[in-house]
Amino acid sequence: MSPPAASPIRRATPDDITALVAIEHACFAGDRLDRRRFRYLLTAANAVTLIDEHNGVPRGYLMLLFRTNSSAARIYSIATHPGHARSGVAASLLGAAEALARRHGCRRQRLEIRADNQASLSLFQRRGYQAFGAYPAYYHDGMDAVRLEKTLLMCDRPAGKERRQRAL
């Protein structure tokens, strides 16, 4: 039996907004991105949204923001549809985002994550992200956010499936 083919990760377009909103609603109880915000981030902002699909079905997305004259990229949002949790979607999206940030000349990648989201915290820590601060009562329900950062070495080579992801 041959190994499963890598899931295609591509840049999202405005045609993906309905799927992105559906993933957002399936993943988050509050602080959700709406159609209008997705449209802005896909068309006008200095951002790239990556989407993971399998057999034409969107399984997750990662939104990466870039600032002019900054050496850091920011993961604005990452979500995996609950029906595809723990299947490597988030890890693949993260690897693709790190490669994209490197190509943009970024030396660091940052994000905020709920302090009670142990699964995501573990994923980011396994990938080399380190806590460097917190935002008290950052989320709609009063939960704190942990600030994470990873230094992106230009010589880092992603492994396995991530290496097969081509220029996004």
Side-chain angles (χ1 to χ4, degrees):
M1 185 163 129
S2 62
S7 296
I9 294 177
R10 61 172 176 81
R11 286 184 190 230
T13 70
D15 291 339
D16 295 310
I17 291 174
T18 298
L20 293 168
V21 169
I23 292 169
E24 190 80 0
H25 281 264
C27 292
F28 304 117
D31 291 328
R32 293 182 191 140
L33 297 171
D34 60 15
R35 293 182 71 79
R36 182 176 175 201
R37 188 75 176 152
F38 272 116
R39 182 166 302 286
Y40 170 74
L41 290 164
L42 287 170
T43 60
N46 193 9
V48 174
T49 300
L50 303 175
I51 192 165
D52 175 290
E53 287 184 334
H54 183 70
N55 294 329
V57 176
R59 303 187 309 170
Y61 78 87
L62 184 147
M63 188 171 292
L64 194 60
L65 302 181
F66 300 98
R67 254 189 353 200
T68 305
N69 299 321
S70 175
S71 64
R74 179 174 176 229
I75 298 173
Y76 185 69
S77 185
I78 181 171
T80 299
H81 190 283
H84 301 285
R86 303 202 187 287
S87 63
V89 172
S92 292
L93 286 164
L94 187 55
E98 290 170 0
L100 180 61
R102 280 188 208 95
R103 287 194 301 274
H104 274 256
C106 295
R107 291 186 295 247
R108 294 173 289 131
Q109 192 153 284
R110 291 182 166 181
L111 72 148
E112 299 82 34
I113 193 163
R114 287 181 63 93
D116 63 351
N117 189 340
Q118 290 304 311
S120 290
L121 284 168
S122 292
L123 168 69
F124 285 102
Q125 289 167 344
R126 283 191 313 271
R127 298 285 308 214
Y129 287 77
Q130 297 181 347
F132 73 95
Y135 289 131
Y138 184 76
Y139 292 97
H140 75 283
D141 59 358
M143 178 54 60
D144 295 347
V146 177
R147 299 182 73 199
L148 299 174
E149 178 179 77
K150 179 179 179 176
T151 300
L152 302 174
L153 302 175
M154 294 305 163
C155 61
D156 282 351
R157 293 273 186 230
K161 287 192 277 187
E162 295 156 21
R163 187 178 304 135
R164 292 190 292 266
Q165 297 299 330
R166 294 292 157 220
L168 299 170

